Amino acid sequence: MRSWRSVAFILIIGACLIEGKYRDRDAKRQRPHLFSPPSTVASVNLCEKIPHMKLVCHCTHGNSSEVLVADCWIFNPDVPRKDPIWGAFYSHSSIEVLKFSVYKPGNLTFIPTEIIHHLPNLTDFSIQYAQVPEIGAYALANRSHLTRVEFNNCSVATLKKHSFAHHPALVEINLKFNQISTIDRHAFSNLPNLERLLLGYNNITTLHDEVFIHLSKLAELYLQSNLIAILSREVFKGLGNLNVLSLSGNSINFIGDTVFAELWSLEELYLDSNRIEKISERAFDGLNNLKRLNLRHNHLVSLEKGVFTVVPALKSIYLNDNQLETLTYSNFLPIWDNLLNDDDSVLGISDNRFTCDCRLFWIFDLKNRTKNDELRRSLQDVECVLYDRNAVPEEIFSNAVKEKIDRIPGDYYDDAGYDNQDESVVFENKDIDDGQRVQLLRFGAENLPCPQELSDPTEVPLSRESIGMIDMGLHSGSASWTLIAVSIFVLQTLMVTLLC
């Protein structure tokens, strides 16, 4: 009897559980989805321009009248996540390009992840002028066809872990003009085809080591106009295919040894508009393919002799607007042939504080021998500071600071540095530290003073070298080493003879 009661009890309990399960399932079916459009919105056409709509889209249709591109404008200051207007996207799963632009007084404070989730063909997604404080994990719903993402002027401050993750087709991420200060070490993960990452015009102060390590195919990295002060080699780990790196407009004041050694494919490096005072002699180790180096608008006073020894492909270098007191032939000897023979070579060295002395002889040599007309023209603008005005005749000094009208592009330049119409740029005659600026090529190589302490041939070519007769910077050094070697050999022979 008890056994029958037990069986009956078990059957009753089982029936209750089954009934409850089906009741819950029916309730879930009847419960509206968070973004599911109610019946009142089902008839709204996403592409219709209806007055007073919170969101208006301009649509581009394909051959089968399906919507392929939706360029949407938000004018309403309150478009919450649960607003029924988002339901209008559900009937347009064919959208490939989706753009949101916010116009005052409109506002958007979140990324509509649920919409992205329902657009399986989406390849290009962008938001502009929104107020999105952070990009959270998987904010783009792991869309596998996405190739480009843009959050421009969106007040983004933080990139969370896996903000951009598992997008195998993603090629470009544009995050310019935000307020990003923190990037999680794993913000960019499983992006095997990412080629361009734009992080310029943010508030980034520190880059974590290996923050880009997952971006093995990255070709262009833009970090300009941030607050970066310190660079380490580990930051760029994994970027062996990087071609372009922009660090312009940051707060960097020193470039240490082998900072860029991981970037063996790098061709363009932009370090202009920083606060760089010193560059280590081995700073550019590993950059065998570097062709363009921009160091304009920094605080450089001098350069190490061998700083360009490890960049044999370098042919465009910008050192304008620094505080360089001199540049010597030894500085440019490793890339001398590039400057002479490449038609597109560039050497920008104007707007510095060069002292007028024989260490600048090489500029006359380069001007006369280079095959590049543009480079030759740029050397016309080089000035130096003359501290002893009485060392040269008055007419020479006056000619070197004489004001002329602007040069006409394409004018011929003779070997003395003048054009055939005797027209040149304007040179100001102003005092600088008790010296006066003069235009170097007008001043003339023969008038450059050459104190005894500057005559070391291994440091600077002598005047006869500057006209191509002897490469004193190279051969004199070689001869010296040969003489030393012979002397050591003779000395060793003599010692052996005496001991024996």
Side-chain angles (χ1 to χ4, degrees), residues 324-341:
L324 291 165
E325 296 176 355
T326 195
L327 286 171
T328 70
Y329 175 73
S330 297
N331 290 134
F332 297 103
L333 181 60
I335 58 172
W336 190 252
D337 287 342
N338 300 345
L339 296 175
L340 289 180
N341 301 319

Side-chain angles (χ1 to χ4, degrees), residues 1-11:
M1 189 67 177
R2 289 181 180 177
S3 60
W4 282 107
R5 287 179 181 177
S6 300
V7 171
F9 178 75
I10 293 172
L11 291 175

Side-chain angles (χ1 to χ4, degrees), residues 314-355:
L314 187 63
K315 59 182 179 179
S316 296
I317 179 168
Y318 301 84
L319 291 162
N320 315 67
D321 196 17
N322 276 276
Q323 300 174 23
L324 291 165
E325 296 176 355
T326 195
L327 286 171
T328 70
Y329 175 73
S330 297
N331 290 134
F332 297 103
L333 181 60
I335 58 172
W336 190 252
D337 287 342
N338 300 345
L339 296 175
L340 289 180
N341 301 319
D342 287 349
D343 293 335
D344 56 347
S345 60
V346 176
L347 179 61
I349 57 174
S350 61
D351 300 311
N352 277 284
R353 299 172 62 86
F354 297 136
T355 299

